[in-house]
C-alpha cells in the first residue's frame, strides 16, 4: 500500500446543476426553461418525475452550504439558471433571482468555499427556444449578454467561471437523439447547434476579457476515451471517427481554432453543413484559462456501415457497471488525461465531474453505506494521481455530485450523491463515500 499525495493547492470540490437541485421552478419571477417544458410533457422522463421541487435547494441553500463545509471541501461548482435571472432570456432582469445567487456566493465565501460558476448547464429559457433556441445564431449574442450581466454583478467574487457544461450533450442528445429538450431528432440541426454553442462560448470569453476581471474562465467538455472493438482496420477507423464526433469536434475549435478536417470532410459528403463564418473560429478559439473535463466511462467502437451518419456502433467498455449501466474504467481516465494534456498544451485541466450511480438505501441505523462508490472514487483518483505524476497539469477534482438529485431523463431513479436525498422529507444524509472523500480532502491524499 502506498500513500498518494496530491499537489499543494489541489482544488477539491463537488458539483451540481441548477435544474437538478433548486426546485422553485416558477417562484419569485423565474421564467420557464426548456427543462420545465420538457418534463411537464408526459412520457419524457423515465419515472415521470420533474424538477419542480428537486432537492428544494432554492429554499435550503444554507443547509446545503453547511454540508459542503462539513465535507471540508475547498470549492463548490454550481450553475446559474438563465431563466431565473432573465425570465425571458433577454431584457428585464429578475432581481430576486440574481439575489439568490449573490446570497449563495456570500454563504460560500463566508465558509471559505470557492464558488465555481457554470453559466449555462442546459436550462435555456423557453422563450428563446420559441425563437429557435440554439439553432438560431442570434442566441449566441443573447447568451453573451446574459454572461456579461453575470460578470458585472457577480464577477468580483467568483474565482472560476465555466461558460458551458457539455455542449455535446446540448447539441446531440437534445437535437439528434431527442432524449433531452428540445427533443429534436435531426443530425444536421444538432451539428448546427454545436457550432452555435461553441460560438456562444467564444463570445462569453471575449466579454469576460473585456470586463477586466482577473479570475479564470474555461469550458467544460464531456470527453470519452474511444477504443476499437477489434483489431480490424475498419473498427480503428470507426473509433477515430467517433472520437472526432464526440471529442475532437469540441476540443479542436476551442484549443486550436479549427474543426477537425476529417470530420468536416465526412459530414460535408452526407449533409448540409453549419454556416461557419470567417471570424467564427477565431472567436471560438480565444484563449481559455482551463479545460473542465467530465468523464464517466469509456467506449468500444466498431464499424457499422448501415448506421447513418457515423456508420458505427458503440458499447460501454468494462466488466463492472454502475447503476446507469456505464462501465467502470479508471485506467481509461488516465489515458484521457494524458491525451488532454497533449491536445491542450499549456492549459490547466480541472476534472469538473466524475462519479457513479449505485443503488443506495438508508439502513435500519439511519446510515447510507455505499462501499461501491468509495471503491469507484479510490480507483479513479488513483489514476488522476498517476496522470499528475506523468506531468499532466490536473489542478482539481470535483465529484459528481453533492447530493442525489433529479438525474435528467432518468428522474429520481439514479443516485450519484455523496449525500443521500430522501425526497419526501428532503432530509440529507451524508453517505460513507462523503465521509471518505472528506478524509481525502483533509489530508490531500489517501492510501492505495
Amino acid at each position: 500500500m502506498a500513500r498518494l499525495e496530491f499537489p499543494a493547492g489541489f482544488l477539491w470540490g463537488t458539483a451540481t446543476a441548477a435544474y437538478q437541485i433548486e426546485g422553485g421552478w416558477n417562484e419569485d419571477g423565474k421564467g420557464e426553461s426548456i427543462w420545465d417544458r420538457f418534463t411537464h410533457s408526459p412520457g419524457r422522463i423515465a419515472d415521470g418525475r420533474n424538477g419542480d421541487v428537486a432537492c428544494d435547494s432554492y429554499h435550503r441553500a444554507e443547509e446545503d452550504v453547511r454540508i459542503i463545509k462539513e465535507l471540508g471541501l475547498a470549492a463548490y461548482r454550481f450553475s446559474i439558471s438563465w431563466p431565473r435571472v432573465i425570465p425571458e432570456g433577454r431584457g428585464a432582469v429578475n432581481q430576486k433571482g440574481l439575489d439568490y445567487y449573490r446570497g449563495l456566493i456570500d454563504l460560500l465565501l463566508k465558509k471559505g468555499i470557492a464558488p465555481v460558476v457554470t453559466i449555462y448547464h442546459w436550462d435555456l429559457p423557453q422563450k428563446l427556444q420559441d425563437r429557435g433556441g440554439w439553432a438560431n445564431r442570434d442566441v449566441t449574442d443573447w447568451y453573451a449578454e446574459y454572461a456579461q450581466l453575470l460578470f458585472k454583478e457577480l464577477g468580483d467574487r467568483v474565482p472560476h467561471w465555466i461558460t458551458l457544461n457539455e455542449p455535446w450533450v446540448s447539441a446531440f442528445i437534445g437535437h439528434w437523439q431527442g432524449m433531452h429538450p428540445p427533443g429534436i431528432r435531426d443530425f444536421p440541426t444538432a451539428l448546427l447547434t454545436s457550432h452555435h454553442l461553441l460560438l456562444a462560448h467564444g463570445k462569453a470569453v471575449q466579454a469576460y476579457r473585456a470586463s477586466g476581471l482577473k479570475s479564470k474562465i474555461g469550458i467544460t467538455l464531456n470527453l470519452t476515451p474511444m477504443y476499437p472493438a477489434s483489431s480490424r482496420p475498419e473498427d480503428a477507423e470507426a473509433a477515430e471517427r467517433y472520437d472526432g464526433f464526440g471529442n475532437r469536434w469540441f476540443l479542436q475549435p476551442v484549443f486550436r481554432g479549427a474543426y477537425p478536417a476529417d470530420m468536416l470532410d465526412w459530414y460535408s459528403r452526407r449533409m448540409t453543413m453549419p454556416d461557419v463564418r470567417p471570424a467564427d473560429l477565431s472567436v471560438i478559439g480565444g484563449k481559455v484559462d482551463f479545460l473542465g473535463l467530465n468523464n464517466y466511462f469509456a467506449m468500444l467502437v466498431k464499424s457499422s456501415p448501415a448506421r447513418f451518419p457515423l456508420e458505427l456502433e458503440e458499447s460501454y467498455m468494462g466488466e463492472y457497471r454502475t447503476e446507469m449501466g456505464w462501465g467502470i474504467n479508471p485506467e481509461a481516465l488516465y489515458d484521457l488525461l494524458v491525451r488532454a494534456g497533449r491536445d491542450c498544451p499549456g492549459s490547466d485541466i480541472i476534472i469538473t465531474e466524475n462519479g457513479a450511480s449505485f443503488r443506495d438505501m438508508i439502513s435500519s441505523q439511519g446510515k447510507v453505506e455505499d462501499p461501491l462508490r468509495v471503491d469507484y472514487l479510490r480507483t479513479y483518483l488513483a489514476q488522476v494521481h498517476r496522470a499528475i505524476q506523468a506531468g499532466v497539469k490536473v489542478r482539481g477534482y470535483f465529484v459528481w455530485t453533492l447530493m442525489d438529485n433529479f438525474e435528467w431523463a432518468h428522474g429520481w431513479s439514479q443516485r450519484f450523491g455523496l449525500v443521500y436525498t430522501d425526497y419526501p422529507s428532503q432530509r440529507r444524509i451524508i453517505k460513507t463515500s462523503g465521509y471518505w472523500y472528506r478524509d481525502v480532502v483533509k489530508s490531500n491524499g489517501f492510501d492505495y
Side-chain angles (χ1 to χ4, degrees):
M1 184 174 288
R3 181 71 183 172
L4 303 186
E5 296 282 352
F6 284 77
F10 192 78
L11 192 62
W12 295 102
T14 187
T16 62
Y19 186 76
Q20 293 183 269
I21 68 165
E22 283 181 1
W25 78 278
N26 62 353
E27 290 187 46
D28 293 336
K30 178 186 171 292
E32 183 185 23
S33 78
I34 57 174
W35 271 97
D36 294 322
R37 178 71 61 89
F38 192 78
T39 60
H40 292 161
S41 303
R44 296 290 199 176
I45 306 302
D47 61 2
R49 304 285 185 177
N50 58 49
D52 290 4
V53 176
C55 302
D56 196 33
S57 289
Y58 185 67
H59 302 106
R60 296 170 181 263
E62 290 191 22
E63 178 184 2
D64 293 340
V65 172
R66 282 198 302 271
I67 292 172
I68 296 167
K69 181 64 175 178
E70 185 175 350
L71 293 175
L73 301 180
Y76 175 50
R77 177 187 170 217
F78 63 94
S79 76
I80 291 178
S81 168
W82 189 345
R84 194 178 295 284
V85 173
I86 309 177
E88 297 193 0
R90 301 193 72 201
V93 174
N94 177 27
Q95 193 60 46
K96 287 186 177 180
L98 198 57
D99 287 346
Y100 168 74
Y101 295 108
R102 185 176 285 113
L104 175 58
I105 291 169
D106 286 346
L107 286 169
L108 292 166
L109 293 175
K110 285 177 183 177
K111 297 289 187 180
I113 301 162
V116 177
V117 175
T118 304
I119 299 170
Y120 182 75
H121 199 133
W122 306 351
D123 47 357
L124 186 74
Q126 182 61 40
K127 289 286 189 182
L128 299 188
Q129 184 60 45
D130 294 342
R131 300 174 67 175
W134 287 109
N136 180 348
R137 186 182 171 95
D138 290 344
V139 79
T140 66
D141 292 323
W142 304 336
Y143 169 83
E145 292 168 1
Y146 159 57
Q148 279 181 306
L149 173 71
L150 299 186
F151 299 149
K152 177 184 175 183
E153 297 291 338
L154 308 173
D156 59 329
R157 292 172 301 151
V158 175
H160 288 84
W161 289 95
I162 295 169
T163 56
L164 305 174
N165 180 78
E166 300 184 350
W168 182 90
V169 173
S170 296
F172 293 101
I173 304 298
H175 296 82
W176 176 38
Q177 297 181 10
M179 295 188 297
H180 285 190
I184 293 170
R185 296 177 181 269
D186 182 73
F187 195 92
T189 300
L191 205 61
L192 176 65
T193 62
S194 73
H195 178 62
H196 290 164
L197 283 154
L198 288 171
L199 184 59
H201 152 78
K203 290 182 178 181
V205 172
Q206 284 186 331
Y208 179 82
R209 301 297 181 208
S211 73
L213 294 169
K214 300 301 182 185
S215 46
K216 296 182 178 181
I217 190 165
I219 186 171
T220 282
L221 303 178
N222 55 306
L223 300 178
T224 302
M226 315 290 188
Y227 302 95
S230 78
S231 60
R232 298 189 309 158
E234 54 266 43
D235 288 348
E237 292 169 5
E240 180 69 10
R241 189 161 59 251
Y242 200 49
D243 179 75
F245 161 66
N247 295 330
R248 290 184 288 116
W249 189 255
F250 295 88
L251 277 171
Q252 290 190 13
V254 172
F255 290 94
R256 299 186 184 181
Y259 284 110
D262 61 326
M263 299 310 297
L264 289 172
D265 178 66
W266 182 271
Y267 292 143
S268 66
R269 290 187 282 113
R270 289 164 174 81
M271 65 191 69
T272 301
M273 294 294 287
D275 174 21
V276 180
R277 299 179 188 176
D280 287 358
L281 284 161
S282 64
V283 174
I284 295 170
K287 186 181 185 307
V288 293
D289 299 305
F290 63 92
L291 166 66
L293 186 154
N294 292 357
N295 174 252
Y296 292 96
F297 47 76
M299 303 296 279
L300 292 174
V301 187
K302 67 179 181 179
S303 174
S304 182
R307 298 191 69 184
F308 176 86
L310 297 170
E311 300 182 13
L312 55 82
E313 293 181 30
E314 72 276 18
S315 59
Y316 294 117
M317 175 182 169
E319 179 182 359
Y320 300 104
R321 302 298 173 99
T322 69
E323 191 66 21
M324 289 282 285
W326 296 344
I328 297 174
N329 318 109
E331 294 84 3
L333 177 58
Y334 170 81
D335 291 346
L336 181 63
L337 289 170
V338 170
R339 179 260 180 91
R342 181 185 69 241
D343 289 357
C344 312
S347 178
D348 288 349
I349 297 170
I350 300 174
I351 299 171
T352 41
E353 290 181 28
N354 175 239
S357 172
F358 293 107
R359 193 180 292 275
D360 304 321
M361 293 181 290
I362 305 174
S363 72
S364 57
Q365 290 78 36
K367 298 180 179 180
V368 180
E369 298 182 354
D370 56 340
L372 292 176
R373 185 172 291 103
V374 172
D375 188 62
Y376 180 100
L377 294 174
R378 284 182 71 253
T379 56
Y380 273 80
L381 277 170
Q383 296 301 321
V384 175
H385 183 271
R386 180 185 169 203
I388 293 170
Q389 295 299 108
V392 183
K393 296 167 61 176
V394 184
R395 305 305 192 196
Y397 178 90
F398 288 68
V399 174
W400 184 266
T401 176
L402 171 63
M403 56 191 163
D404 301 331
N405 55 46
F406 181 82
E407 183 49 39
W408 306 114
H410 300 276
W412 289 355
S413 67
Q414 300 291 333
R415 293 183 177 272
F416 280 83
L418 296 170
V419 177
Y420 185 94
T421 303
D422 180 58
Y423 294 109
S425 68
Q426 291 295 342
R427 184 164 60 116
R428 280 89 155 116
I429 304 171
I430 298 175
K431 302 177 189 179
T432 302
S433 60
Y435 290 117
W436 180 86
Y437 190 53
R438 180 191 64 183
D439 292 342
V440 171
V441 173
K442 184 177 181 181
S443 63
N444 201 38
F446 59 98
D447 295 328
Y448 186 75

